[in-house]
């Protein structure tokens, strides 16, 4: 396995975000991490990229315990993975070409013609070779995410992490991203971790799935196994039921009591 | 306690920043670009302000000096006021309002839009790539801007004193030449360098630590102006006392 999360707990400001979380990602596969909003999915990604450290437990990436790495080793580890941010996070003072070339210029001594060839190849892979001279502000949401994907793969990472890649996209752009996730995995052999709410899209591409709720894994298996699960929380999430084990209402006092207290005031 | 904590954070931030200044200087293109942003783009407002401050000095100085029959000393008075005080201080205040706010909001927005985060994930230290060049750009630009302020200010004072009020041109310049010493110039240069470090440090720190929200960036920008202005005036007093 390429990522191994063992009995992880993460707490911030006395609030437990993750508790007793176990999760493994196998090399060369697409692993989906699903779950309701606020359940700790993005926090889990931050633990895997060493942006945050767990309060308890261990996170192993490429077999290395992240807690034992110093700053230089963390940076060396990060060079082997790519992250596609939800909003693309393109550098706004550079055009598309320079955004994709950025990691190459920072980490390699490649000649300019070679950098140009690599960038053009990556932009071609995401269908945006013709947009190389556009600035990020001139791109649509879907295009920005494709440019960010080209940038994420330009260093040929072993792991590619997608943070909510389908959010806010029209059906065509979602289809494009879905196809690209599959292509990156099949064509380049990149291990993919996809965090998303989008059950139906993920079912088309994921090999393994984890469902998180309340900061822990409540179900795991193939998307088909999750879809067939009898568990109430899994059924609620997979079928999009508004109320259930994950309550519709944010914790609040009894409605009658609260209304009466308003009257008294 | 909060002031101690902020001072400690600022000191640690400065240490981290200084460690990245060497690598940042190794790629001068980024630093030169920031000298242009912080310096060249502030030139108009600095020169315009210097011109008016110089003209006011000319008027006020003439009015005061003629009461003692020493209007020929207007050149010395204007030069010393500009070189030792007004040049560095007013330039620093203008810098905080023009370039400092720009630095803070730019870095704060980069944080709010995950650009700094993305750099860290790409194993690029934002302190080296984003913050250090902007800090160095500000530090280098400040003395240059103060020098421009002084030159234009002297021109303004001369324009009013000599052309309008009739002070003798020869006396204006020769008294200045005879009485202004290298130490006076040196005091202004040291002040503008110290103000450059202080204002640039506050600007980049406020941006780097801004809450990643619209409100957070707004608050950080305000903090830059207020903290830079107060610190400039405080440091001005301390440095003046040290030079006397």
């Amino acid at each position: 396995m390429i990522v191994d999360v063992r009995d992880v707990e993460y707490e911030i400001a006395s609030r437990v975000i993750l508790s007793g979380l176990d999760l493994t990602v196998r090399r060369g596969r697409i692993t989906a991490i699903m779950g309701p909003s606020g359940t700790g999915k993005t926090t889990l990604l931050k633990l895997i990229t060493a942006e945050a450290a767990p309060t308890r437990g261990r996170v192993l990436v490429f077999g290395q315990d992240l807690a034992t790495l110093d700053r230089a080793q963390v940076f060396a580890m990060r060079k082997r993975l790519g992250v596609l941010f939800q909003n693309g996070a393109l550098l706004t003072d550079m055009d598309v070409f320079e955004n994709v070339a950025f990691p190459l210029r920072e980490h390699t001594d490649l000649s300019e013609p070679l950098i140009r060839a690599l960038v053009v190849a990556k932009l071609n892979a995401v269908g945006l070779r013709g947009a190389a001279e556009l600035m990020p502000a001139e791109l649509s949401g879907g295009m920005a995410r494709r440019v960010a994907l080209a940038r994420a793969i330009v260093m040929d990472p072993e792991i590619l992490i997608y943070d909510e890649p389908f959010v806010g996209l029209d059906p065509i752009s979602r289809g494009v991203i879905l196809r690209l996730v599959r292509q990156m995995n099949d064509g380049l052999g990149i291990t993919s971790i996809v965090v998303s709410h989008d059950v139906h899209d993920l079912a088309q591409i994921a090999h393994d799935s984890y469902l998180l709720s309340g900061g822990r894994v409540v179900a795991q298996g193939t998307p088909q196994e999750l879809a067939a699960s009898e568990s109430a929380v899994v059924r609620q999430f997979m079928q999009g039921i508004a109320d259930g084990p994950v309550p519709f209402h944010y914790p609040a006092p009894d409605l009658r009591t609260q209304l009466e207290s308003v009257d008294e005031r | 306690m909060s002031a101690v904590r902020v001072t400690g954070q600022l000191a640690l931030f400065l240490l981290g920043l200084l460690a990245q200044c060497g690598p940042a200087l190794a790629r001068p293109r980024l630093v030169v670009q920031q000298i242009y942003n912080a310096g060249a783009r502030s030139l108009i407002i600095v020169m315009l302000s210097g011109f008016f401050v110089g003209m006011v000095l000319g008027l006020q100085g003439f009015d005061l000096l003629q009461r003692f029959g020493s209007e020929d000393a207007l050149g010395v008075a204007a030069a010393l006021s500009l070189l030792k005080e007004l040049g560095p201080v007013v330039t620093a205040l203008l810098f905080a309002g023009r370039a400092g706010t720009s630095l803070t909001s730019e870095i704060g927005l980069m944080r709010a839009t995950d650009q700094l985060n993305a750099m860290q994930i790409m194993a690029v230290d934002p302190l080296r790539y984003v913050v250090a060049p902007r800090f160095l750009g500000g530090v280098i630009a400040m003395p240059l801007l103060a020098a421009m302020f002084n030159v234009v200010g002297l021109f303004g004072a001369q324009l009013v004193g000599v052309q309008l009020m009739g002070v003798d041109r020869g006396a204006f310049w020769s008294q200045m030449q005879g009485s202004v010493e290298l130490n006076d110039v040196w005091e202004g240069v040291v002040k503008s360098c110290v103000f450059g470090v202080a204002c640039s440090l506050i600007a980049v720190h406020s941006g780097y630590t801004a809450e990643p929200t619209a409100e957070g960036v707004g608050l950080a920008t305000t903090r830059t102006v207020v903290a830079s202005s107060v610190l400039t005036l405080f440091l001005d007093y301390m440095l003046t006392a040290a030079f006397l």
Side-chain angles (χ1 to χ4, degrees), chain B residues 8-21 127 201:
Chain B
Q9 282 173 351
L10 209 56
L12 287 175
F13 181 80
L14 179 61
L15 284 179
L17 188 55
L18 290 176
Q20 296 302 331
C21 282
L127 271 185
L201 176 65

Side-chain angles (χ1 to χ4, degrees), chain B residues 86-100 142 195 199 225-226 228-233:
Chain B
L86 291 171
V89 173
V90 178
T91 306
L93 297 177
L94 291 170
F95 181 90
R98 162 64 184 78
M142 180 77 88
F195 298 161
C199 292
V225 177
V226 174
S228 300
S229 306
V230 173
L231 189 61
T232 295
L233 296 173

Side-chain angles (χ1 to χ4, degrees), chain A residues 3-260:
Chain A
V3 174
D4 191 7
V5 178
R6 291 185 198 163
D7 192 24
V8 156
E9 182 177 298
Y10 183 78
E11 195 179 308
I12 189 161
S14 302
R15 203 165 77 87
V16 177
I17 310 289
L18 300 173
S19 168
L21 187 91
D22 288 296
L23 179 147
T24 56
V25 175
R26 288 185 283 171
R27 191 178 284 274
R29 294 172 74 87
I30 299 175
T31 303
I33 298 173
M34 302 183 285
S37 299
T39 200
K41 301 187 298 294
T42 302
T43 304
L44 176 61
L45 291 191
K46 286 186 174 175
L47 295 181
I48 294 172
T49 55
E51 288 174 83
T55 320
R56 200 192 71 209
R58 298 168 71 195
V59 179
L60 291 96
V61 179
F62 304 119
Q64 298 169 294
D65 185 345
L66 297 186
T68 64
L69 303 185
D70 61 25
R71 187 177 163 80
Q73 289 169 321
V74 166
F75 271 27
M77 181 275 291
R78 285 179 182 165
K79 286 180 193 169
R80 298 170 66 188
L81 53 84
V83 176
L84 179 68
F85 285 87
Q86 204 176 116
N87 58 6
L90 296 177
L91 306 179
T92 45
D93 57 345
M94 297 177 185
D95 64 16
V96 163
F97 182 92
E98 286 304 322
N99 260 286
V100 179
F102 181 73
L104 294 172
R105 295 199 195 285
E106 287 299 308
H107 297 307
T108 69
D109 295 322
L110 297 177
S111 65
E112 191 57 32
L114 198 48
I115 288 179
R116 190 155 286 278
L118 279 169
V119 172
V120 168
K122 301 301 180 188
L123 281 174
N124 193 47
V126 297
L128 290 177
R129 186 164 38 86
E133 289 174 12
L134 296 181
M135 294 301 284
E138 298 174 279
L139 304 174
S140 69
M143 287 168 79
R145 232 165 282 185
R146 283 152 72 187
V147 174
L149 182 55
R151 184 179 68 181
I153 60 170
V154 78
M155 293 285 287
D156 292 329
E158 293 167 57
I159 302 175
L160 200 45
I161 297 174
Y162 303 80
D163 187 7
E164 304 281 9
F166 312 114
V167 165
L169 297 184
D170 63 78
I172 298 172
S173 300
R174 281 154 69 111
V176 169
I177 295 287
L178 211 56
R179 196 179 97 181
L180 288 171
V181 175
R182 176 65 103 184
Q183 275 179 358
M184 298 302 150
N185 184 254
D186 292 347
L188 305 176
I190 299 174
T191 304
S192 304
I193 303 172
V194 188
V195 165
S196 176
H197 301 99
D198 223 307
V199 177
H200 303 290
D201 286 338
L202 286 178
Q204 297 175 44
I205 55 168
H207 300 117
D208 305 308
S209 302
Y210 286 88
L211 181 60
L212 266 58
S213 183
R216 60 174 66 233
V217 174
V218 291
Q220 68 183 83
T222 62
Q224 292 71 27
E225 285 168 348
L226 257 58
S229 171
E230 291 298 314
S231 156
V233 66
V234 178
R235 278 182 45 229
Q236 185 191 1
F237 183 77
M238 301 300 278
Q239 294 170 21
I241 301 166
D243 208 353
V246 178
F248 172 71
H249 286 288
Y250 190 79
D254 176 60
L255 179 60
R256 179 187 291 267
T257 318
Q258 195 166 11
L259 290 175
E260 282 169 0

Side-chain angles (χ1 to χ4, degrees), chain B residues 61-77:
Chain B
F62 180 81
D63 181 50
L64 185 70
L65 291 169
Q66 74 165 350
R67 296 180 195 182
F68 307 102
S70 343
E71 57 267 30
D72 286 352
L74 180 64
V76 188

